[in-house]
Amino acid sequence: MRQSDAWPVRVGVGFVRACAVALVSMLVPGVWAAAVALGIRWGASNPWSWLAPLVLVCVGTLALSRPVCRAVRLLVARWTATVVPDGYRQAGPVTQMSTGYWWNGFGYERTRRDAVLDQKWRVRWADPAVWRDVRFTLVVPFTAGLAAAVPPAAVAAAACAAVLSGPVGVLGLVVAAVAAPYAWRPVEPVAVRFLGPSAAMRLAGRVEELTAQRADTTVAQAAEIRRIGRDLHDGAQARLIALGLSLSTVEKLMETHPEQARALLRDARAGAATSLAELRELVRGIAPPVLSERGLVDAVRALALDVPLRVTVRADAPLHAEPPIESALYFGVAELLANAAKHARATSADVSLLRDGGGLVVEVEDDGRGGAGERPGGGLHGLRRRLAVFDGSLEVTSPPGGPTRVRMTVPCESL
């Protein structure tokens, strides 16, 4: 009974999907047919009458290629959960120079609008994905488009036969019912085969990604060096200078005013202790000693004791990774716990460290109010870019009302 109920549903869903695939696939051939009809109307024997239809074919194919490909990717992802990456080149930033002109990576323009427009078209025409999309629009009508057109064509034939009272109507309905659940399915292998980025495109994208990661690493290192210098200059360095002045004054007052000298020595001792604490805190922010001495798991457990939350740490022991990976994950956990306490108003958090095949997975879940989102320049975005240096990934699940769950995954062969 359940199978008989499922079959009409499959037929109905398949028919709708087949119609959608046929409609999207036949948009460009529809432009071609309109151009041919226009050329015939203007005079098929006159060669000059075909000039405008030819321009219509070229412009229409180029203009519809990207929307058609995006629609096919959307349909395939929604129906089969198969994500076909587009592989389009991304435009770089547009910056204003000291001369007032705008640089877009290719040339200088007087206004930002002109620079962005020039960059857009230069990137698009130099992108191999444009011609890959054009090729797909030429292939899909004669592959997935023809297969998807069978059910609606059979229904149309059945409707015409019903008007003419012919026996073809029943046959058309049977063909449509049998083909509908399967007619739309060829669009997935065709999209995977012809819409995915080629090896050259993947290599170019990887080079661009590594270039961006190198730039991010350089900027992060420069910012860290400035922070260390500022902390040393404003904290420990100033206290050490004051300590030296106090000792010089004590040397002069030792014989004439011993009580004042003792008071200055007490202040100098307190200042030395404060300077030592600041230096230890600075070193902990650069490379926590517990991380290098006891590993990532114990470092995270020690970190959990200093956070104003009830933190539970679960781990597969022992976990050993390269020091840069452990440092990135440690500071990632520290940032997530700080965000949970400061922004999410959480009261407790769970941290899990475990192996996953050849990688290291760290999950942080809190009971805060949720709604955490990744924005350019934000903490989660920076964390994602830091993990990307190690080919890592970041997954954030934070519905309104919570809980917030962040999963950091880094491949690591040393596990």
Side-chain angles (χ1 to χ4, degrees), residues 170-185:
V170 177
L171 179 61
L173 292 178
V174 171
V175 171
V178 172
Y182 311 101
W184 62 273
R185 296 185 182 277

Side-chain angles (χ1 to χ4, degrees), residues 190-225:
V190 172
V192 172
R193 170 62 179 85
F194 293 99
L195 271 187
S198 63
M201 294 168 62
R202 287 193 295 268
L203 179 60
R206 182 59 175 165
V207 171
E208 293 178 359
E209 181 181 355
L210 292 176
T211 302
Q213 292 175 2
R214 183 182 63 181
D216 290 343
T217 303
T218 303
V219 172
Q221 289 178 347
E224 188 68 14
I225 291 173

Side-chain angles (χ1 to χ4, degrees), residues 9 26 35 39 79 96 157 173 196 201 222 232 339 348 372 377 383 388 393 397:
V9 175
M26 297 302 176
W79 294 342
Q96 188 175 19
L173 292 178
M201 294 168 62
L232 288 173
N339 290 341
S348 64
L383 180 57
S393 61
T397 304

Side-chain angles (χ1 to χ4, degrees), residues 61-63 65-66 69 73 86-89 120-137 195 201:
T61 303
L62 289 175
S65 60
R66 182 163 293 190
C69 294
R73 288 192 191 92
D86 52 31
Y88 295 128
R89 288 184 178 177
K120 173 184 176 182
W121 287 108
R122 285 177 181 266
V123 170
R124 182 159 185 174
W125 287 114
D127 192 353
V130 173
W131 310 113
R132 177 208 60 194
D133 291 351
V134 172
R135 181 188 63 179
F136 179 78
T137 58
L195 271 187
M201 294 168 62

Side-chain angles (χ1 to χ4, degrees), residues 375-411:
R375 57 181 178 83
L380 293 177
H381 181 74
L383 180 57
R384 180 184 297 277
R385 299 305 294 264
R386 291 196 298 271
L387 294 176
V389 175
F390 308 101
D391 288 335
S393 61
L394 180 73
E395 300 177 9
V396 181
T397 304
S398 183
T404 297
R405 182 181 298 107
V406 181
R407 179 184 177 95
M408 297 180 290
T409 306
V410 179

Side-chain angles (χ1 to χ4, degrees), residues 157-169:
C160 294
V163 173
L164 300 176
S165 299
V168 184

Side-chain angles (χ1 to χ4, degrees), residues 1-75:
M1 182 65 181
R2 185 175 300 175
Q3 292 181 354
S4 63
D5 292 340
W7 177 254
V9 175
R10 292 180 59 190
V11 171
V13 173
F15 182 79
V16 172
R17 292 181 177 181
C19 291
V21 173
L23 178 63
V24 173
S25 303
M26 297 302 176
L27 283 177
V28 173
V31 173
W32 301 343
V36 171
L38 185 62
I40 294 175
R41 181 179 179 82
W42 284 354
S45 60
N46 185 5
W48 293 103
S49 64
W50 292 98
L51 182 60
L54 180 61
V55 173
L56 177 61
V57 167
C58 296
V59 173
T61 303
L62 289 175
L64 291 175
S65 60
R66 182 163 293 190
V68 167
C69 294
R70 285 177 174 172
V72 170
R73 288 192 191 92
L74 179 62
L75 295 178

Side-chain angles (χ1 to χ4, degrees), residues 312-316 350-354 361-365:
T312 303
V313 180
R314 292 185 292 269
D316 292 340
D350 294 329
V351 181
S352 301
L353 301 96
L354 47 94
V361 178
V362 179
E363 290 186 354
V364 180
E365 181 176 352

